[in-house]
Amino acid sequence: MKPIKLKMTGFESYCKPVEIDFEKAGKNGLFLICGPTGSGKTTIFDAITYALYGEPSGDTRKESMLRSTLADETIPTEVEFTFEINSKRYTVKRNPKYTRKAKVGNKTVTENANAELIFHDGRESIVQSSKVTAAVENILKLVKKDFCQISMIAQGAFQKFLLAPTEDKKTIFREIFKTSKYQQLEEKLDENAKLLEAQCRDAYTSICHYISLMDVYENEVLQQQLETIKQKKIPEENDITILKEILNDNSVKLELNEKEIKKTNSALNKINEKVTRANEKRKIIEQKNNLEKESLSIKEKINGAQKILENALSLETEKNKHTEELTLIKNSLADYSTLEESEKTISSLNKKNAELQKSITSITKKITEQKIELEEKNKQLPLLEKAGENYISIKNKLEESSTDFDKLDSLLKKIKLFTDEKKELSSWQEKSKAASEEYKKTNTLYIEKKQLFFMEQAGILAQDLSENTPCPVCGSLTHPSPAKKSGHAPTKEELDIFEKDAEDASKTFISISKKASEMNASILNEEKNIYESAGQFFSDEEIKSEELELTVTEKKAELKQTITSLRQELLIEKENAEKKNKLQEEIPALRNSIQNAEAELSELKINEGKTKTELQEKQSFIETLKSKLSFDSKAEAENQLNKLSSLITQIEKKITEAKETKEILEKKDAEISGQLNQSRQLLDSFKDIDEGKILKQQEELQEKNEQLERIHNTLLPVYSTCKNSIASIEKTFSEISKIENRRRMVSDLASIANGAVSANGKVRLETYVQAAFFDRIIARANRRFLAMSSKQFELIRDISVENRRSQIGLDLNVIDHHNGSIRAVSTLSGGEQFQASLSLALGLSDEIQESSGGGGIHLDSMFIDEGFGSLDSATLDKAMTSLSGLTANDKIIGIISHVEELKNKIDSKIIVSKDINGNSSVIIEN
């Protein structure tokens, strides 16, 4: 991973936007990030780590602490980091959760944490913090913890790796060199060994289960041997011989039982055939007896049917009588229809007559009421003879009074306005007087000051006069009384102020005087208008009186009362006129209505008489027709007709049924006689069948067969279970042999892979593979460590065994070539540990780049934060030589340090500074 550009805004001490171009700063390969302690150097490391992984580099700083405390609510907090890997560029934008000012209004809102990964090759961006972090881990092939220990070495970070125990190093190497497949192989081998062992146990358990299912049928010796085998937890293969003897014994007994069952079944089949013949004989006897009984019953029914037929034939006379009556009723049905139509006509006439009487009563009542109403209206009309004659005159008076009222109202408003304006005029006249006094005062003061000023100017001119020298004012050569300076005259600027005050006072006085004059002219004109308007209603004496406003108010009140009275009179006059007009229209209409009603009444009475006559004629016709008919209505006649038809049908049905019944019984009797003769002939063929003897033989054979079946039902499951169990046992013993061979092989491999059989300590397979990588890393690291330590120190992997239970392989010791001792790296001094840590970090970087097992990790850059302060000048030169050698392969090395000596050794610098407010900024120097 090669850094390209970093942008920070509102991030930790970088309040204002800052951009760092690593292509410019690291064009020489090696560059220094320098500045005072606390200026914000490590924050650059934090920003890169946060952009990539959403967390700062150190464990002490949390995401909530990343927002700059100097940033106000309008400044965002965000980091943008562009990097390159495998010639592909990526940009990560990320912001933590913080509070900012809303874009609209004065409220504050919470900006939630978010991130975006932009692909420069045109692929769709990835958003959301967790998804971006996962994508970055996939691109870099490193998680944050390993990144900080390998690519960005924070203060003391690689020292932790140097001193880390085997287990911690295993975790780091597993990610870097992708050795998890060896760990998975260890676990798989262990899992398979346990699985095969469990399969063996399950197989022996299955054999015990199969043996427990076996049994012996009536053989005590074999039964005792079987119980002995069942007591064993792990059966032996030679036990199968005894189990087969048990199977053979059960097989022989089962074969004898099945032969005896077959013999008994054969005898039973023969006797069953005889039983069947006996049953057939018994059924034929039962059938013959039933037929004899049925024959007697049929003969009795034939006699009964003959009597029923004779009774039915005796009903022929009654049937003929009913037929004659039926014919008479059918012929009279037309008269019943005529009767019904006549009765409907009478009902209609009665209804019509009732409606005519109702109408006559209603019209008679209406005529009476209208005559009374007409008489009343004729009385009211003379009383309203002159109604409406005074309407116009009253209306004119009302309009005149209303006009006068409006004029008085307008006049009263003018009077009130005139009074108010007179008061305002008085106020303006007072203001004019005061303004005049002020003008006189300021103008007098200005004139006085002006004289003093000119006198002072003359004194100034006179102070340089001398005899025989012409005066610049009058030209005189003698100066008997020259002007003198007063000492208290105003200056030109002060005189200008007095002049301006006088002018302002003059302007104010003129303005106020003009306003008062205009108001006076307006009031005089208004007073003239008031007098002209009041002259229509009042005398000159009343107009000039000071009580004019009260007089107008009283006159207005009188007019208001007059208007109210006239409106009432006008309303009454209008109502009477409308009433008169209405009566003049209603009286003729009433007279016409009465005449029409009387004509209608006369016509109704004529119709009533005609209806009554027609009704009497119909009633006479109905009475004559009823006297000829046997029934009161057609419905009664039809009902009787139906009854007679039903009786005739019943008689005919009885005769027919009696004949049919007799014929059926006679036919049935002939059939039964034939069946009886057939049964008697069949019985002659069964004379040799003895049913009692046959049934006894059948019972004895059935009991024997049941006993044999019970033995068979007991013996067969015992035999089948033994047979199946022995087959399963033999098969399982064969499988156990195969499983056991494979289990021993897999178990040995698992022990080797898990380090359980090593004489030199517990070295697991994954650790062994990692140790090979670690040896190469150590070899690369020692080339630099020996150079930096003047060939005193060399790193070596610790392979000693403290106890057989501990995992070994990745711990470190150091060889001290000065005294030939080997000791732990933790015994090195601070500066020596930094040399060892830096050498190990550079060796790891080399190995990752060149090893085919690097898992796609590309370390094109490295940042080293502090540690150089613990080195002396000579060692520092050696360290710089080692670092400079790395940049020859297009690597970028960034050193974060405040050591002054490094500034002179490294040309490219990112200089970090902090102002008095605590805001950090950067400058790039080459």
Side-chain angles (χ1 to χ4, degrees):
M1 187 272 289
K2 181 181 291 185
I4 303 300
K5 190 174 291 183
L6 174 66
K7 296 179 182 179
M8 298 176 285
T9 304
F11 187 82
E12 293 192 18
S13 61
Y14 292 88
C15 175
K16 297 177 182 178
V18 171
E19 181 177 310
I20 300 174
D21 188 342
F22 289 106
E23 287 186 306
K24 180 180 178 182
K27 67 179 181 179
N28 296 323
L30 184 65
F31 65 91
L32 175 67
I33 302 175
C34 59
T37 301
S39 60
K41 300 185 297 298
T42 303
T43 302
I44 296 172
F45 195 176
D46 273 346
I48 294 173
T49 310
Y50 175 71
L52 294 173
Y53 296 100
E55 296 177 11
S57 58
D59 296 329
T60 57
R61 289 182 290 276
K62 304 299 180 185
E63 187 180 9
S64 59
M65 301 163 62
L66 298 181
R67 179 162 172 79
S68 173
T69 56
L70 304 173
D72 60 31
E73 294 174 344
T74 61
I75 296 176
T77 294
E78 58 189 9
V79 176
E80 181 179 324
F81 179 54
T82 301
F83 63 94
E84 185 178 285
I85 187 166
N86 289 334
S87 300
K88 292 182 180 179
R89 286 201 175 186
Y90 307 86
T91 296
V92 184
K93 294 180 181 180
R94 198 184 291 265
N95 66 270
K97 182 179 180 181
Y98 66 93
T99 301
R100 62 170 176 79
K101 187 177 181 181
K103 295 178 180 178
V104 179
N106 295 321
K107 294 183 179 180
T108 58
V109 295
T110 299
E111 183 76 27
N112 291 320
N114 201 2
E116 180 182 10
L117 174 61
I118 301 168
F119 299 91
H120 288 237
D121 57 6
R123 282 180 286 168
E124 186 177 353
S125 299
I126 296 174
V127 294
Q128 191 179 357
S129 295
S130 59
K131 292 181 179 179
V132 170
T133 300
V136 168
E137 289 174 350
N138 185 53
I139 292 167
L140 299 183
K141 310 300 181 186
L142 289 171
V143 296
K144 180 233 173 186
K145 179 181 177 184
D146 298 337
F147 178 80
C148 292
Q149 288 186 321
I150 296 170
S151 184
M152 285 202 164
I153 306 173
Q155 295 177 7
F158 219 86
Q159 186 181 8
K160 290 181 182 179
F161 177 75
L162 178 74
L163 303 175
T166 291
E167 284 300 322
D168 291 351
K169 288 191 180 78
K170 277 176 64 178
T171 303
I172 296 169
F173 286 160
R174 183 175 296 134
E175 292 295 329
I176 297 171
F177 298 112
K178 304 302 175 188
T179 61
S180 58
K181 57 188 176 183
Y182 300 105
Q183 182 193 30
Q184 292 167 4
L185 178 59
E186 293 170 14
E187 293 171 352
K188 193 68 177 176
L189 286 170
D190 190 49
E191 181 185 338
N192 285 345
K194 291 177 181 178
L195 180 63
L196 289 167
E197 187 176 348
Q199 286 177 357
C200 283
R201 288 197 302 270
D202 291 344
Y204 281 115
T205 301
S206 296
I207 290 172
C208 290
H209 172 69
Y210 294 136
I211 293 171
S212 69
L213 297 175
M214 293 180 67
D215 201 357
V216 180
Y217 185 78
E218 295 182 353
N219 190 326
E220 292 183 3
V221 175
L222 290 176
Q223 182 71 48
Q224 188 173 1
Q225 290 177 342
L226 178 62
E227 291 300 323
T228 302
I229 294 171
K230 284 184 178 181
Q231 297 301 319
K232 295 180 180 181
K233 291 184 178 179
I234 300 178
E236 301 170 2
E237 283 194 64
N238 57 11
D239 292 332
I240 199 76
T241 304
I242 297 171
L243 297 177
K244 286 183 177 179
E245 287 180 14
I246 292 169
L247 175 64
N248 184 59
D249 184 71
N250 289 335
S251 175
V252 170
K253 289 176 180 176
L254 180 63
E255 186 178 353
L256 291 173
N257 173 262
E258 287 176 345
K259 286 180 179 179
E260 192 66 27
I261 288 173
K262 186 176 180 181
K263 180 181 177 182
T264 305
N265 283 336
S266 177
L268 191 59
N269 289 335
K270 291 178 180 179
I271 201 68
N272 283 340
E273 290 176 0
K274 292 182 179 180
V275 170
T276 302
R277 295 264 298 159
N279 288 337
E280 289 177 3
K281 180 181 179 181
R282 187 174 63 255
K283 287 180 181 178
I284 292 169
I285 292 170
E286 290 176 357
Q287 184 180 14
K288 182 178 81 70
N289 293 336
N290 289 333
L291 288 170
E292 288 173 346
K293 290 178 182 179
E294 190 174 356
S295 178
L296 290 173
S297 174
I298 290 293
K299 285 179 169 55
E300 290 176 358
K301 289 179 180 179
I302 290 170
N303 293 331
Q306 180 62 37
K307 290 179 182 179
I308 292 170
L309 178 59
E310 291 171 356
N311 290 333
L313 291 172
S314 66
L315 296 173
E316 283 287 347
T317 306
E318 185 179 351
K319 173 190 168 186
N320 295 333
K321 183 181 177 182
H322 290 331
T323 302
E324 291 175 3
E325 186 180 356
L326 183 70
T327 303
L328 290 172
I329 293 172
K330 282 182 178 180
N331 294 334
S332 66
L333 284 177
D335 292 335
Y336 284 106
S337 297
T338 304
L339 179 62
E340 285 181 356
E341 289 297 325
S342 298
E343 285 177 343
K344 287 179 181 177
T345 303
I346 287 176
S347 176
S348 176
L349 288 170
N350 282 329
K351 185 177 180 181
K352 181 180 179 181
N353 189 51
E355 289 174 352
L356 286 169
Q357 288 177 354
K358 184 178 179 182
S359 297
I360 289 168
T361 303
S362 175
I363 291 172
T364 303
K365 182 181 178 183
K366 179 182 176 182
I367 291 170
T368 304
E369 290 174 349
Q370 286 183 341
K371 284 181 178 179
I372 294 169
E373 186 180 357
L374 180 62
E375 185 180 354
E376 182 64 28
K377 290 184 184 298
N378 284 330
K379 289 179 182 179
Q380 291 176 5
L381 188 59
L383 299 175
L384 299 170
E385 185 177 358
K386 295 184 178 181
E389 293 178 357
N390 298 324
Y391 181 81
I392 301 300
S393 62
I394 294 170
K395 185 178 180 182
N396 291 335
K397 287 181 182 179
L398 178 61
E399 290 175 352
E400 291 173 1
S401 298
S402 296
T403 302
D404 290 345
F405 181 83
D406 292 339
K407 289 179 179 179
L408 286 173
D409 185 59
S410 177
L411 177 61
L412 188 60
K413 289 177 181 178
K414 289 179 180 178
I415 293 169
K416 289 180 178 179
L417 182 63
F418 175 74
T419 304
D420 293 339
E421 288 179 348
K422 280 180 68 176
K423 291 178 181 178
E424 189 177 357
L425 175 61
S426 177
S427 173
W428 278 104
Q429 288 173 342
E430 290 294 328
K431 290 179 182 179
S432 177
K433 184 178 179 182
S436 175
E437 294 294 330
E438 179 64 22
Y439 168 65
K440 291 176 181 177
K441 179 180 176 183
T442 53
N443 192 50
T444 301
L445 180 60
Y446 167 64
I447 292 169
E448 291 175 355
K449 294 296 183 181
K450 185 177 180 183
Q451 291 173 349
L452 286 172
F453 175 77
F454 286 136
M455 288 177 67
E456 186 72 8
Q457 294 303 311
I460 293 169
L461 292 171
Q463 66 183 0
D464 295 327
L465 290 177
S466 60
E467 290 299 325
N468 298 319
T469 302
C471 175
V473 178
C474 64
S476 176
L477 296 173
T478 58
H479 317 289
S481 300
K484 295 181 180 180
K485 292 171 65 176
S486 64
H488 55 272
T491 63
K492 182 66 171 71
E493 288 77 12
E494 289 174 340
L495 182 63
D496 290 342
I497 292 170
F498 286 120
E499 183 181 13
K500 187 176 183 305
D501 289 343
E503 288 177 355
D504 291 343
S506 175
K507 289 177 181 178
T508 301
F509 170 63
I510 292 169
S511 175
I512 292 172
S513 296
K514 183 180 179 183
K515 178 69 175 177
S517 176
E518 289 173 353
M519 285 194 70
N520 186 50
S522 176
I523 287 170
L524 291 174
N525 186 49
E526 188 67 28
E527 184 177 30
K528 180 181 178 183
N529 291 334
I530 289 171
Y531 285 165
E532 288 176 357
S533 298
Q536 299 177 32
F537 301 99
F538 307 105
S539 63
D540 290 343
E541 185 178 350
E542 287 176 322
I543 291 170
K544 294 178 180 179
S545 171
E546 294 180 357
E547 302 294 329
L548 178 60
E549 184 177 351
L550 178 61
T551 304
V552 173
T553 302
E554 290 174 349
K555 182 67 176 176
K556 183 181 172 185
E558 289 175 8
L559 268 176
K560 186 177 181 181
Q561 188 174 359
T562 300
I563 289 167
T564 302
S565 176
L566 286 170
R567 283 177 178 166
Q568 187 65 29
E569 289 178 19
L570 187 66
L571 181 62
I572 292 169
E573 191 69 16
K574 183 180 179 182
E575 288 176 352
N576 287 337
E578 289 174 352
K579 197 172 182 182
K580 175 185 173 183
N581 292 336
K582 187 178 180 182
L583 286 171
Q584 287 173 343
E585 292 173 358
E586 289 176 346
I587 288 171
L590 269 174
R591 285 175 182 161
N592 187 43
S593 178
I594 290 168
Q595 288 174 2
N596 292 338
E598 287 174 343
E600 185 181 356
L601 179 63
S602 175
E603 187 176 348
L604 286 170
K605 285 181 178 180
I606 292 169
N607 288 337
E608 182 186 20
K610 289 179 181 179
T611 302
K612 285 180 179 179
T613 302
E614 188 179 353
L615 188 60
Q616 288 172 358
E617 290 174 355
K618 281 290 180 184
Q619 285 174 342
S620 175
F621 173 76
I622 287 170
E623 288 173 2
T624 304
L625 188 60
K626 279 184 176 181
S627 63
K628 296 178 182 179
L629 299 173
S630 303
F631 300 98
D632 292 336
S633 66
K634 184 180 181 181
E636 288 181 9
E638 288 176 342
N639 186 41
Q640 182 62 22
L641 191 67
N642 292 333
K643 286 181 180 179
L644 290 170
S645 296
S646 178
L647 287 171
I648 292 167
T649 302
Q650 288 175 6
I651 291 169
E652 290 175 346
K653 185 179 179 182
K654 283 181 180 180
I655 294 169
T656 303
E657 288 177 350
K659 288 178 180 180
E660 290 175 352
T661 301
K662 185 182 177 185
E663 289 174 359
I664 291 168
L665 289 170
E666 287 173 344
K667 185 178 180 181
K668 183 70 174 175
D669 184 50
E671 289 176 0
I672 290 170
S673 296
Q675 291 174 357
L676 272 171
N677 291 331
Q678 189 178 1
S679 298
R680 290 183 185 114
Q681 290 173 2
L682 283 171
L683 281 173
D684 291 339
S685 65
F686 286 95
K687 289 180 180 179
D688 61 329
I689 298 299
D690 186 349
E691 186 178 2
K693 183 180 178 181
I694 291 169
L695 290 174
K696 185 177 179 182
Q697 290 174 352
Q698 184 190 42
E699 184 179 354
E700 289 172 354
L701 286 170
Q702 284 176 343
E703 287 179 1
K704 184 179 180 181
N705 189 58
E706 287 173 2
Q707 184 178 3
L708 290 169
E709 287 291 340
R710 282 195 296 273
I711 293 170
H712 184 269
N713 291 338
T714 302
L715 189 55
L716 181 61
V718 171
Y719 168 74
S720 298
T721 303
C722 287
K723 183 179 178 182
N724 294 334
S725 294
I726 287 172
S728 299
I729 289 166
E730 288 179 329
K731 182 181 178 182
T732 306
F733 268 124
S734 176
E735 290 173 353
I736 286 173
S737 178
K738 296 175 183 177
I739 295 169
E740 186 63 33
N741 290 335
R742 181 170 175 75
R743 184 196 66 78
R744 282 194 291 270
M745 179 188 70
V746 173
S747 181
D748 291 344
L749 287 173
S751 297
I752 294 168
N754 292 320
V757 297
S758 175
N760 296 320
K762 299 178 72 175
V763 180
R764 302 179 75 95
L765 176 61
E766 184 188 20
T767 308
Y768 180 80
V769 174
Q770 290 176 346
F773 283 112
F774 198 24
D775 285 341
R776 296 211 293 263
I777 292 167
I778 292 169
R780 296 176 188 279
N782 279 333
R783 288 200 295 268
R784 297 179 178 89
F785 193 26
L786 284 166
M788 282 190 276
S789 64
S790 301
K791 298 185 178 181
Q792 180 181 358
F793 296 115
E794 183 178 1
L795 295 171
I796 185 172
R797 191 163 54 85
D798 183 7
I799 57 173
S800 63
V801 183
E802 294 182 2
N803 61 72
R804 289 298 180 94
R805 290 180 295 175
S806 62
Q807 287 286 340
I808 64 168
L810 301 179
D811 293 327
L812 276 175
N813 284 337
V814 63
I815 301 174
D816 189 342
H817 289 292
H818 283 188
N819 54 29
S821 64
I822 298 176
R823 50 193 171 95
V825 291
S826 59
T827 62
L828 294 171
S829 66
E832 292 167 347
Q833 282 190 9
F834 174 73
Q835 294 174 36
S837 299
L838 181 59
S839 300
L840 197 59
L842 298 177
L844 178 59
S845 175
D846 291 343
E847 179 61 26
I848 289 171
Q849 290 291 357
E850 296 180 21
S851 174
S852 59
I857 299 172
H858 295 270
L859 297 179
D860 299 321
S861 62
M862 179 179 290
F863 287 82
I864 304 171
D865 189 0
E866 291 300 348
F868 293 93
S870 60
L871 304 180
D872 56 30
S873 180
T875 306
L876 182 61
D877 287 338
K878 294 172 183 176
M880 293 305 300
T881 300
S882 295
L883 291 173
S884 297
L886 287 174
T887 61
N889 298 321
D890 288 335
K891 278 191 177 182
I892 295 175
I893 305 295
I895 297 173
I896 302 173
S897 179
H898 59 274
V899 175
E900 285 295 324
E901 194 172 348
L902 285 174
K903 293 181 182 179
N904 300 322
K905 295 180 180 292
I906 301 174
D907 295 329
S908 298
K909 304 178 188 68
I910 297 174
I911 302 171
V912 183
S913 60
K914 185 180 285 187
D915 60 23
I916 57 173
N917 297 318
N919 181 48
S920 296
S921 59
V922 298
I923 298 173
I924 298 175
E925 283 188 4
N926 283 313

